[in-house]
Amino acid sequence: MNSLGTTMQVDLLAGTGYRPFTIPRPQPTILVFDSGLGGLTVLGRTTQACPGAHIVYAADDAGFPYGRLSENALIIRVLAVMERLVARFHPDLVVIACNTASTLVLPALRARFAIPFIGTVPAIKPAAAATRSGMISVLATPGTVARDYTRELIETYAASRRVTLVGATRLAGLAEQALKGEAVDDAVLATEIAPCFVEADGRRTDVVTLSCTHYPLLLERMKRLAPWPVEWIDPAPAIARRVADLLSSARQPGLACRDAAAVFTDGVGLTGPLRIALAGYGLAQVVIEPMPLAN
Ligand code: DGL
């Protein structure tokens, strides 16, 4: 039995035709999952929105970057890692804080596990609503920009907008470098974001949606390097609100988040500065659960 969940379904009347009832639990476990460190941008907001929750942050750094994996390989990988994490931490809810995975793997995860999964997908609907020029850019990994899911979001919510899809090959890695305290060259960053800024017919891009959870880690620098000011959309606050709504018993003002832990499937990049950065997110306890990526 899960000892950390927010609710548990108790079916004392199995076979009698009565519906199971729910017992609220005091401290739900929320698992926040990403390929690497980008999910920390979602974790920060989720911790604020659910102060009474037990948080486990899981980084599949052995598989990083997910943007380079084929769709089939990514589905197999995420299911295998999740199998291990669910068995070990018994989460009540999982946040897939990764657009590259969410735009592909959510149906398979929901079919496999009887746990709510909240995904992170490109914020195309809010971007389409926010633009005044009618020109928006989706800054994401090459995997996310290639997804059918992303194309369908555009067709559904932004058919009347001019949408530029930018699959950045280096940005997630640069965000990891920056968080580890390594130098990141402004010129390289500027080159990565440059395709987001489009001018046509006297109009120009005015909204950029950060559709990889790593990118908000570089937001202040990207704002400084942008050729002109735009609205940058970070979906983390909306995801955190959704988590809090689903786990309404997690809102316990005054009850601090306890026992937050970070899990890495490789851990090779766990430098001193990174450990300090993790502690800043409340993740003082770091565990390595080795899961090499199969070739
Ligand atoms: N943080 C992930 C996302 O939101 C992607 C980084 C990667 O390529 O692994 O898409």
Side-chain angles (χ1 to χ4, degrees):
M1 185 174 73
N2 180 348
S3 62
L4 294 167
T6 182
T7 60
M8 65 179 169
Q9 298 289 320
V10 179
D11 193 356
L12 297 176
L13 302 167
T16 65
Y18 287 88
R19 293 170 68 82
F21 60 89
T22 298
I23 298 175
R25 289 169 176 244
Q27 197 181 30
T29 294
I30 303 171
L31 175 68
V32 179
F33 174 84
D34 184 28
S35 56
L37 304 172
L40 292 171
T41 60
V42 176
L43 171 121
R45 297 291 187 154
T46 303
T47 308
Q48 285 167 9
C50 307
H54 171 77
I55 305 269
V56 177
Y57 182 74
D60 181 17
D61 57 334
F64 180 84
Y66 277 178
R68 78 194 148 108
L69 297 184
S70 73
E71 295 200 344
N72 198 36
L74 184 55
I75 292 171
I76 291 169
R77 175 69 186 175
V78 174
L79 284 175
V81 176
M82 196 54 64
E83 195 82 50
R84 183 87 71 88
L85 294 171
V86 167
R88 178 157 180 178
F89 297 102
H90 309 289
D92 298 280
L93 182 147
V94 179
V95 180
I96 302 296
C98 174
N99 293 258
T100 312
S102 298
T103 48
L104 181 71
V105 192
L106 281 173
L109 287 168
R110 289 177 175 142
R112 171 67 190 83
F113 303 97
I115 307 170
F117 281 85
I118 295 180
T120 310
V121 299
I124 287 166
K125 188 179 179 185
T131 181
R132 298 163 78 97
S133 69
M135 294 174 66
I136 66 180
S137 290
V138 178
L139 182 59
T141 66
T144 298
V145 303
R147 299 273 186 265
D148 289 346
Y149 190 96
T150 303
R151 188 177 39 74
E152 282 159 21
L153 282 179
I154 294 168
E155 281 167 12
T156 307
Y157 298 113
S160 62
R161 307 297 192 224
R162 177 169 171 159
V163 181
T164 302
L165 288 168
V166 179
T169 51
R170 301 182 59 187
L171 214 42
L174 295 173
E176 298 244 328
Q177 269 176 244
L179 200 67
K180 289 173 186 166
E182 295 165 22
V184 173
D185 192 345
D186 271 356
V188 178
L189 263 185
T191 306
E192 287 289 293
I193 66 170
C196 292
F197 294 84
V198 181
E199 291 188 279
D201 308 325
R203 297 180 298 144
R204 58 190 193 181
T205 308
D206 63 352
V207 179
V208 177
T209 163
L210 298 169
S211 298
C212 166
T213 53
H214 280 71
Y215 302 166
L217 293 170
L218 296 168
L219 181 56
E220 292 314 312
R221 292 184 66 179
M222 293 197 292
K223 280 183 180 168
R224 186 166 50 76
L225 295 167
W228 58 79
V230 293
E231 179 176 346
W232 303 85
I233 298 185
D234 173 4
I239 293 159
R241 279 196 298 276
R242 175 89 182 112
V243 174
D245 284 349
L246 274 183
L247 296 181
S248 51
S249 64
R251 288 198 196 112
Q252 298 182 31
L255 178 58
C257 166
R258 288 185 294 165
D259 308 326
V263 188
F264 287 78
T265 55
D266 183 287
V268 74
L270 277 168
T271 55
L274 177 55
R275 283 182 186 269
I276 291 168
L278 292 172
Y281 284 91
L283 301 167
Q285 189 191 335
V286 178
V287 179
I288 298 179
E289 177 86 30
M291 269 199 87
L293 182 70
N295 290 318

